[in-house]
Amino acid sequence: MSRTKDASPSTKEKKARAPKDPHLRCRAYKFRVYPTKKQAGKLEWMLRRCKELYNAALEERREAYRRCGISISYRMQAEQLPAIKQLREEYQDIHSQVLQDVLRRLDKAFQAFFRRVMNGEEPGYPRFKSGDRYHSITYPQGGFEILHGNRLHLCKVGHIKIKLHRAMKGKVKTCTIKREGEQWYAIVTCEYVHDASMTFHPSEQEVGVDLGVKVFAMLSTGEAIENPRHLREEEYKIAAAHRTIHRRKKGSHRRHRAKKALARVYRKVRNRRRDFHHKTSRKLVQQYQVIVFEDLQIKNLTATPKPKQDEATGLYLPNGEAAKAGLNKSILDAGWGGFVRLCASKAEEAGGTVVKVAPHFTSQLCSGCGAVVPKDLSVRWHCCPNCGVELDRDHNAARNILHRFQQNQPLGAGSVPQKPVPLRGEEPIL
Ligand SMILES: [Zn+2]
């Protein structure tokens, strides 16, 4: 009986979600907010309570499964919220939808876990959150309002000063309050209807882009976009800040201060990188109607190489891990995934397109004649013995990427025009 009761709302939910307007787009805007000391204290307190709830809900799911083999759903946990509020009165001081959102986040973490198990990936069970790993709370529907152009009203917190540095487009849907070191931000998502017929791109040029390690991007025109290497530049500062933390006693005020300092350095790196991505993607989108990328599985590129063992002696052989580690860092530093998403969303606005093509052999094939010219990662120059084409390695790859799109070869899964991905409010934290 109870089972059918649980099943019906979820199917209803699915039905409600299905007929979504295909032109509906979601966009996130990030604004700095300036809470007073008292308000910041309240927000911190809310973050701690939400973290507690998250961990308790995770514990409940884990124990129920471990002891009785029962899977607990989001709805079952959400139904307990009123009882929790009775028992722990302080939770009445937090907007109920914020608490529901905490449980929904946990549910998402579990869904992702189950999906990974199904796909045979490394599962990674959802983790308990420590205080400094819980940074944000979300008002998923109501409980917040933007007033008079410089005030954000948050339910149970009050009027907070907000810097609305740009206009929002569409209907405001959700509001996330996020702590980044000592600063606070509001991430507001808006929904709007995108009308493709209203956008027109003035150019018909197409470009292939090879995202690389040596340079950030190489275009099929031969133009190189240099990598600013923010992380490398600030690497010393980051390493020093990490060392300071480790030197200091756990739980001490000084350690807490050192953590704040580290968060400041990371924020700076993040902001500089985002700025670079915005400017670069804007330039590309303005100049080209079609931008072609390879469909790189960044996770595969950044995975640690498997240890190689000598069959006869059992000794471990060099597996290129040291070289790969440096490469990994550069890839993460460059933040390709976010860059491609930015290009996609900007292109859509401007009437252009971003396309991904299968990545296989783009650096090994000759872009002049199509012959296979095998080369190591260390070989930076493409020199074709067949047709005599001589090019930079990445330039050759970028030309191949463009050709692949133009010839519309039978490609892998990534060859379909990429659906523009909405901007995410939350960036992956380094
Ligand atoms: Zn050739």
Side-chain angles (χ1 to χ4, degrees), residues 297-316:
Q297 295 298 317
I298 290 170
K299 213 185 126 216
N300 295 347
L301 283 171
T302 53
T304 324
K306 287 220 171 70
K308 251 193 232 167
Q309 212 170 3
D310 191 311
E311 278 177 27
T313 60
L315 290 172
Y316 285 98

Side-chain angles (χ1 to χ4, degrees), residues 352-379:
T353 354
V354 165
V355 183
K356 286 187 189 174
V357 295
H360 317 110
F361 304 112
T362 47
S363 54
Q364 309 295 329
L365 293 176
C366 171
S367 60
C369 65
V372 179
V373 187
K375 45 186 145 344
D376 249 333
L377 244 183
S378 58
V379 182

Side-chain angles (χ1 to χ4, degrees), residues 366 368-371 384 386-389:
C366 171
C369 65
C384 180
N386 191 26
C387 68
V389 156

